[in-house]
Amino acid sequence: MTSVTIPPDAISFVCSFVRDRSAIELEPSKSYLIEARLGPLAKQHGYASPTELIQGVRTRRRPDLEHQLVEAMTTNETSFFRDKHPYDALREHVIPELIKAKSAQRTLSIWSAACSTGQELYSVAMLLREHFPELSSWNVQLVGTDLSDDVLAQARAGRYNQIEVNRGLPATLLVKYFHREGMSWRLSPDLTAAATFLKMNLVQPWPALPKFDVVFLRNVLIYFGTDAKKAILQKVRGAMTPKGYLSLGAAETTMGLDATFEREQVGSSVFYRSP
């Protein structure tokens, strides 16, 4: 592994800066990751090294560069139908229950928080199209949010490379819902039109949001400290309908953070029900 050249005080600055702007906790011990992530950004802005870029941020106010630094340090790992079991639970239990419970209102709202490049929300959209045709006459809202302009642009475009469509997307759905555009695959316009993507930082003031029946907040809380986790869960709870379903990552829980959520085993998955 190449030795890290960013001095410790600059590493500490990046960790504090990112924490203040996003509440994401970076580990100074992973300085090699900071260097790897900031290298391309330094080159893009004409700096000779990540250290020079950091010095530029420290000495001169540049909101655009500051925002890009925070974006560079966020993790945008995602894939279609990631982990599979939450989508099985959605198909077999959650959506059928919500269809029964909301048959009078005929509304359904689903939120993918920290949606990255959109695969999670589009996986939900395809699942609804494939298995619940009765929802075509309902008012269905699919909302994705993220703090990164770059990933939101890709999500709105619905364009993915071969590696991205190979990760978790069944071939039958690729053929049915995508078409080839050069070296990429583009999602059908009717599916991209069904999803709304908004810029939003989970630890800063939120835009106006509808009340959600299902919230995917998977593999997000692990990047925050305890206080930020509690604040995020409290606000998520306020954005959910009564007895709504919250899906977290396998290593995440509301226990010790928000006692008002009720843990519920749903098939092979775990959801947390809002009060």
Side-chain angles (χ1 to χ4, degrees):
M1 182 184 296
T2 304
S3 61
V4 176
T5 59
I6 303 177
D9 69 305
I11 293 292
S12 296
F13 170 80
V14 171
C15 292
S16 298
F17 189 85
V18 172
R19 185 190 311 115
D20 292 343
R21 298 300 181 92
S22 69
I24 292 172
E25 298 284 349
L26 297 177
E27 297 180 23
S29 62
K30 294 186 177 179
S31 52
Y32 64 90
L33 180 63
I34 295 174
E35 182 154 32
R37 296 260 180 104
L38 294 187
L41 187 61
K43 185 176 181 180
Q44 176 187 335
H45 286 273
Y47 290 98
S49 67
T51 301
E52 286 195 13
L53 180 147
I54 295 166
Q55 184 63 21
V57 171
R58 297 176 81 167
T59 57
R60 187 157 66 94
R61 178 91 172 110
R62 283 190 56 184
D64 59 331
L65 184 55
E66 293 170 3
H67 179 72
Q68 289 174 22
L69 186 151
V70 174
E71 282 198 9
M73 297 314 304
T74 58
T75 300
N76 294 312
E77 171 66 18
T78 188
S79 62
F80 288 103
F81 297 97
R82 185 179 181 183
D83 298 330
K84 191 176 181 296
H85 61 84
Y87 298 96
D88 291 340
L90 205 65
R91 183 186 73 250
E92 296 169 6
H93 303 280
V94 174
I95 298 302
E97 284 298 317
L98 288 170
I99 287 175
K100 290 179 185 176
K102 308 201 74 179
S103 58
Q105 303 99 308
R106 299 172 69 80
T107 62
L108 179 68
S109 53
I110 299 175
W111 176 23
S112 171
C115 65
S116 187
T117 43
Q119 286 96 316
E120 182 173 78
L121 192 62
Y122 287 135
S123 295
V124 173
M126 287 184 277
L127 183 149
L128 297 182
R129 292 288 177 93
E130 288 293 295
H131 300 283
F132 302 98
E134 63 268 41
L135 291 177
S136 62
S137 62
W138 284 41
N139 178 16
V140 178
Q141 290 182 289
L142 303 177
V143 178
T145 62
D146 202 281
L147 59 77
S148 170
D149 291 313
D150 289 344
V151 300
L152 287 171
Q154 182 179 348
R156 292 180 183 121
R159 183 187 288 116
Y160 302 96
N161 62 34
Q162 190 66 52
I163 293 174
E164 289 168 327
V165 297
N166 283 346
R167 295 188 64 202
L169 183 65
T172 53
L173 298 185
L174 176 64
V175 171
K176 186 171 183 178
Y177 292 108
F178 291 77
H179 64 272
R180 197 70 186 254
E181 281 192 356
M183 300 299 291
S184 301
W185 293 87
R186 172 86 77 144
L187 196 61
S188 62
D190 63 320
L191 271 186
T192 55
T196 300
F197 293 95
L198 305 172
K199 184 173 181 178
M200 175 177 154
N201 187 325
L202 289 170
V203 296
Q204 292 181 1
W206 289 12
L209 294 171
K211 295 285 188 178
F212 294 102
D213 302 302
V214 181
V215 176
F216 281 82
L217 188 68
R218 307 195 69 245
N219 307 299
V220 178
L221 293 180
I222 53 175
Y223 297 105
F224 295 102
T226 300
D227 290 344
K229 290 177 183 179
K230 289 180 178 179
I232 291 169
L233 285 172
Q234 181 181 13
K235 293 176 76 173
V236 166
R237 173 163 41 85
M240 296 178 68
T241 56
K243 300 302 178 185
Y245 292 82
L246 170 64
S247 177
L248 301 178
E252 299 168 325
T253 180
T254 63
M255 292 178 62
L257 300 171
D258 192 320
T260 58
F261 281 99
E262 181 180 349
R263 184 183 187 277
E264 183 174 314
Q265 186 77 33
V266 182
S268 299
S269 194
V270 170
F271 282 80
Y272 298 86
R273 305 294 298 274
S274 59

